[in-house]
């Protein structure tokens, strides 16, 4: 874990080689554009969709993120499942064979095209469980209490209103169902690392559509969701969370 965290710090939290060095971009004489507070995230995701997997694959492997994805879904996902912010489908293949159905959603159609390519490599029987559709995680079209499990991995950093998304996930999750989150955000134990995330938040949001310094604890608490399990990894920046809909 330590080696992986250091590696991620160098690769993702480092100098973003070959990317813009400025934290903010002036759009007028008296106004500064903020990629953290005034984003066009879907536009960013559309641009990076075809290179996204190649750019983060090595980092996730070294960090053990794939193991966390697998564990979260293997031990807790069941029944009919909704995944929001699915992106290029990095969770595909980690769902246990016992699940009945997985609805894979994202706001970026180009990201979802990559997910469909991955599904095409699966057997007909396996991919038959999956449905892919474009959707706004904060305004879903599904009725109340539709899913046994709702999944979001590394999405709270990217949604415009993450609290609203968590409330919507609670709405569509059955009362006895589970909401599974794997997220990254501020470290509460390493102030120096959080300071670095704050300092470079604008640049990272511009390049990736990701606000990597959000307070995940505060977001979760504000949503009214009921925590069952929370573990931190990678110096407190990775959050492994199992929850249920709040009252």
């Amino acid at each position: 874990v330590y080696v992986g965290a250091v590696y991620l710090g160098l690769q993702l939290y480092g100098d973003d080689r070959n990317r813009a060095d400025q934290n903010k971009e002036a759009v007028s004489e008296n106004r500064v554009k903020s990629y953290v507070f005034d984003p066009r995230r879907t536009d960013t995701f559309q641009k990076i969709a075809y290179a996204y997997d190649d750019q983060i694959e090595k980092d996730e492997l070294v960090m053990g993120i794939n193991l966390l994805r697998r564990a979260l879904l293997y031990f807790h996902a069941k029944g009919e499942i909704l995944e929001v912010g699915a992106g290029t489908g990095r969770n595909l293949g980690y769902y246990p064979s016992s699940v009945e159905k997985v609805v894979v959603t994202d706001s970026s159609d180009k990201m979802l095209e990559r997910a469909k390519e991955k599904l095409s490599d699966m057997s007909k029987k396996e991919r038959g469980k999956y449905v892919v559709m474009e959707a706004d995680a904060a305004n879903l079209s599904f009725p109340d209490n539709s899913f046994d499990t709702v999944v979001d991995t590394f999405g709270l950093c990217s949604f415009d209103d993450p609290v609203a998304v968590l409330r919507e996930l609670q709405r569509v999750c059955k009362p006895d169902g589970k909401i599974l989150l794997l997220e990254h955000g501020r470290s509460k134990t390493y102030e120096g690392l959080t300071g670095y995330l704050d300092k470079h938040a604008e640049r990272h949001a511009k390049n990736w559509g990701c606000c990597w310094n959000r307070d995940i604890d505060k977001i979760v608490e504000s949503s009214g969701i009921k925590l069952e399990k929370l573990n931190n990894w990678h110096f407190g920046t990775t959050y492994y969370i199992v929850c249920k809909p709040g009252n």
Side-chain angles (χ1 to χ4, degrees):
V1 172
Y2 175 80
V3 173
V6 172
Y7 182 86
L8 184 64
L10 292 174
Q11 295 294 316
L12 287 183
Y13 299 170
D15 60 0
D16 280 336
R17 290 182 299 273
N18 299 320
R19 302 186 179 101
D21 292 328
Q22 296 179 346
N23 289 346
K24 294 184 179 181
E25 176 181 303
V27 295
S28 70
E29 186 175 337
N30 299 315
R31 182 182 174 191
V32 174
K33 177 177 180 178
S34 169
Y35 290 90
V36 170
F37 298 106
D38 184 24
R40 289 184 175 87
R41 301 189 201 287
T42 300
D43 291 346
T44 301
F45 302 145
Q46 297 285 77
K47 292 176 183 177
I48 67 176
Y50 291 100
Y52 184 76
D53 284 333
D54 290 338
Q55 290 177 346
I56 72 168
E57 183 69 38
K58 183 168 61 174
D59 300 305
E60 287 208 351
L61 180 64
V62 173
M63 288 295 291
I65 297 297
N66 291 343
L67 295 177
L68 293 176
R69 291 180 189 271
R70 185 182 296 276
L72 184 68
L73 299 177
Y74 179 82
F75 290 112
H76 302 288
K78 65 178 182 178
E80 294 197 1
I81 298 167
L82 169 68
E83 181 176 346
V84 299
T88 62
R90 296 192 64 79
N91 289 326
L92 298 179
Y94 293 141
Y95 286 99
S97 58
S98 58
V99 303
E100 300 168 17
K101 179 181 180 181
V102 183
V103 180
V104 178
T105 69
D106 198 273
S107 62
S108 167
D109 64 315
K110 292 191 182 300
M111 285 280 193
L112 290 176
E113 285 177 11
R114 299 290 285 168
K116 291 177 182 178
E117 291 174 7
K118 294 174 184 178
L119 287 174
S120 69
D121 292 332
M122 294 182 178
S123 68
K124 184 176 181 180
K125 180 180 179 180
E126 187 177 9
R127 67 172 177 266
K129 294 184 178 182
Y130 292 90
V131 176
V132 179
M133 60 184 294
E134 195 173 340
D136 177 359
N139 186 25
L140 297 166
S141 60
F142 306 107
D144 296 354
N145 310 324
S146 293
F147 296 96
D148 300 293
T149 310
V150 182
V151 177
D152 172 57
T153 59
F154 302 107
L156 295 184
C157 61
S158 300
F159 299 128
D160 289 345
D161 188 342
V163 174
V165 169
L166 286 183
R167 288 173 178 164
E168 184 72 343
L169 301 192
Q170 293 176 80
R171 182 186 70 79
V172 300
C173 185
K174 294 178 181 179
D176 60 347
K178 290 188 178 182
I179 299 172
L180 310 180
L181 308 172
L182 185 60
E183 310 290 346
H184 64 178
R186 306 178 73 79
S187 171
K188 301 301 178 62
T189 51
Y190 290 86
E191 293 183 4
L193 179 54
T194 292
Y196 186 92
L197 300 182
D198 288 341
K199 181 179 179 181
H200 297 284
E202 284 288 341
R203 183 180 65 191
H204 192 77
K206 178 180 179 180
N207 295 331
W208 296 93
C210 161
C211 301
W212 64 1
N213 62 335
R214 283 181 171 171
D215 189 329
I216 300 300
D217 290 316
K218 184 177 180 180
I219 290 170
V220 169
E221 181 180 0
S222 298
S223 73
I225 209 166
K226 183 184 295 184
L227 279 177
E228 287 193 339
K229 181 183 183 70
L230 190 158
N231 294 123
N232 289 105
W233 300 79
H234 310 129
F235 301 113
T237 61
T238 300
Y239 293 71
Y240 178 108
I241 307 174
V242 179
C243 358
K244 299 186 64 137
N247 296 328

